[in-house]
């Protein structure tokens, strides 16, 4: 009886191309979690740097961190609900514009805290 191949299973092999396995880093550290509102602040900063209204795709391309398009849309939609950005229909999508400068956004946040 040939037992050499009996325990062979493709999932037991190491990758041949030296690609690290998916998941947390092997040293046990987890990727840093973003602070509350950090993504919104990053999206707003990128949006303010645009020369006029910007698409979600443009915002995604100019963000550090490689966020998914759907994540960018979600953040922009939440900012729209908070009245931090405005949007205008363009074809089947929207263009987005920051509703205020940084000081104005801080005032909006403070007003929401005081109203809550």
């Amino acid at each position: 009886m040939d037992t050499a191949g009996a325990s062979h299973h493709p999932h037991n092999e190491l990758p041949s191309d030296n690609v690290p396995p998916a998941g947390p880093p092997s040293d046990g550290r987890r990727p840093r979690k973003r602070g509350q509102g950090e993504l919104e602040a990053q999206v707003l900063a990128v949006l303010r740097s645009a020369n006029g209204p910007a698409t979600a795709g443009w915002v995604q391309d100019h963000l550090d961190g490689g966020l998914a398009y759907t994540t960018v849309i979600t953040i922009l939609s939440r900012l729209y609900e908070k009245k931090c950005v405005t949007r205008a229909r363009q074809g089947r999508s929207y263009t987005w514009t920051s509703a205020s400068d940084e000081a104005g956004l801080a005032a909006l946040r403070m007003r929401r805290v005081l109203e809550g």
Side-chain angles (χ1 to χ4, degrees):
M1 174 178 199
D2 181 17
T3 60
S7 65
H8 175 75
H9 191 275
H11 294 291
N12 293 337
E13 294 179 11
L14 292 174
S16 60
D17 55 359
N18 293 326
V19 175
S26 59
D27 62 2
R29 290 183 299 141
R30 291 190 172 267
R32 182 183 76 81
K33 287 185 98 173
R34 292 179 178 95
Q36 184 176 2
E38 187 175 340
L39 279 178
E40 289 181 354
Q42 290 174 357
V43 167
L44 281 170
V46 167
L47 203 53
R48 280 194 302 272
S49 74
N51 294 328
T55 64
W58 186 91
V59 172
Q60 179 191 24
D61 291 343
H62 289 82
L63 279 170
D64 294 332
L67 291 178
Y69 180 80
T70 54
T71 303
V72 174
I73 289 290
T74 299
I75 294 166
L76 287 167
S77 297
R78 289 179 181 167
L79 289 169
Y80 177 76
E81 291 170 5
K82 296 176 182 181
K83 297 181 178 24
C84 295
V85 299
T86 59
R87 67 183 183 192
R89 179 67 78 176
Q90 182 176 355
R92 293 173 47 197
S93 189
Y94 292 102
T95 56
W96 305 84
T97 307
S98 179
S100 182
D101 60 6
E102 196 149 345
L105 291 172
L108 276 172
R109 286 187 206 111
M110 190 62 101
R111 191 174 315 123
R112 272 198 301 274
V113 168
L114 292 174
E115 289 172 355

